[in-house]
Amino acid sequence: KTFSFAGLSTWAWHPQGAGDVRLALTADDDPKRVAARIEPVILPATERQLASRKFTKAAPDAAKLWLHYYALLTLKDFAQVHGQFLPAVPEWGIPPFAASTSAIGVYPVGTIIMDITVPGRDTIVWRGAARREVNFENSDQKPRDVIEKAIRDLFKDFPPKSKK
């Protein structure tokens, strides 16, 4: 919260790699396969967002800021129970009944986390995150659009306004 981005206008992907993909879906999932599909969308979308904010891409050794993303994919669930929306003591003459599950669902969720560090410092000076439901059955364009919107939302408040 105390870091100032004033005067910092060059950036690069972290020299140790642009990002990491972590999966918590099934034992057979391959992070490299997922990275090969999403990284070609994440990198240019990030570059466009930074360019629109007057940040220039530079070589890692000349950059004032380094970026590193994490793409996390996991499962989320929801459940509804019969009677869950009734008041605690219904006064309509409905007899009490045992709650039973009426709907349950499990769906994949993806989160993109973007860390910005300053070369030579081990501390993160800015972190943004965006989370979206992931649908693997859509065409290639739909996931691309979802990732593009997530990156736009992630950088919505970047760079942070300096406190006066």
Side-chain angles (χ1 to χ4, degrees):
K1 293 184 178 186
T2 60
F3 186 81
S4 172
F5 285 88
L8 301 177
S9 62
T10 57
W11 70 276
W13 293 107
H14 198 283
Q16 294 178 355
D20 292 311
V21 174
R22 308 284 170 95
L23 304 178
L25 300 172
T26 70
D28 297 329
D29 288 324
D30 181 11
K32 290 178 183 170
R33 184 181 58 80
V34 173
R37 189 169 177 193
I38 65 172
E39 192 166 280
V41 181
I42 292 173
L43 300 187
T46 299
E47 291 172 12
R48 282 192 297 279
Q49 289 301 311
L50 289 171
S52 72
R53 288 161 174 76
K54 309 290 188 252
F55 285 84
T56 307
K57 188 174 180 183
D61 58 341
K64 303 291 184 193
L65 301 170
W66 283 345
L67 274 71
H68 185 87
Y69 78 86
Y70 295 93
L72 314 171
L73 274 72
T74 188
L75 296 175
K76 188 109 171 111
D77 63 12
F78 72 90
Q80 288 186 341
V81 178
H82 287 274
Q84 80 181 55
F85 300 113
L86 292 176
V89 182
E91 297 176 9
W92 312 309
I94 299 174
F97 55 90
S100 61
T101 303
S102 62
I104 190 165
V106 178
Y107 55 95
V109 174
T111 303
I112 298 173
I113 299 171
M114 190 70 63
D115 287 344
I116 298 180
T117 58
V118 175
R121 291 173 64 181
D122 286 336
T123 57
I124 296 169
V125 296
W126 185 85
R127 173 175 274 178
R131 185 172 81 180
R132 297 285 186 280
E133 183 175 339
V134 178
N135 186 343
F136 293 110
E137 296 177 16
N138 284 334
S139 69
D140 278 346
Q141 187 58 39
K142 179 70 174 164
R144 178 176 292 278
D145 294 342
V146 169
I147 293 171
E148 292 264 354
K149 184 170 181 348
I151 295 291
R152 277 195 307 274
D153 290 349
L154 187 147
F155 282 105
K156 178 179 57 179
D157 297 325
F158 180 81
K161 306 294 183 247
S162 60
K163 308 277 187 223
K164 294 186 180 188

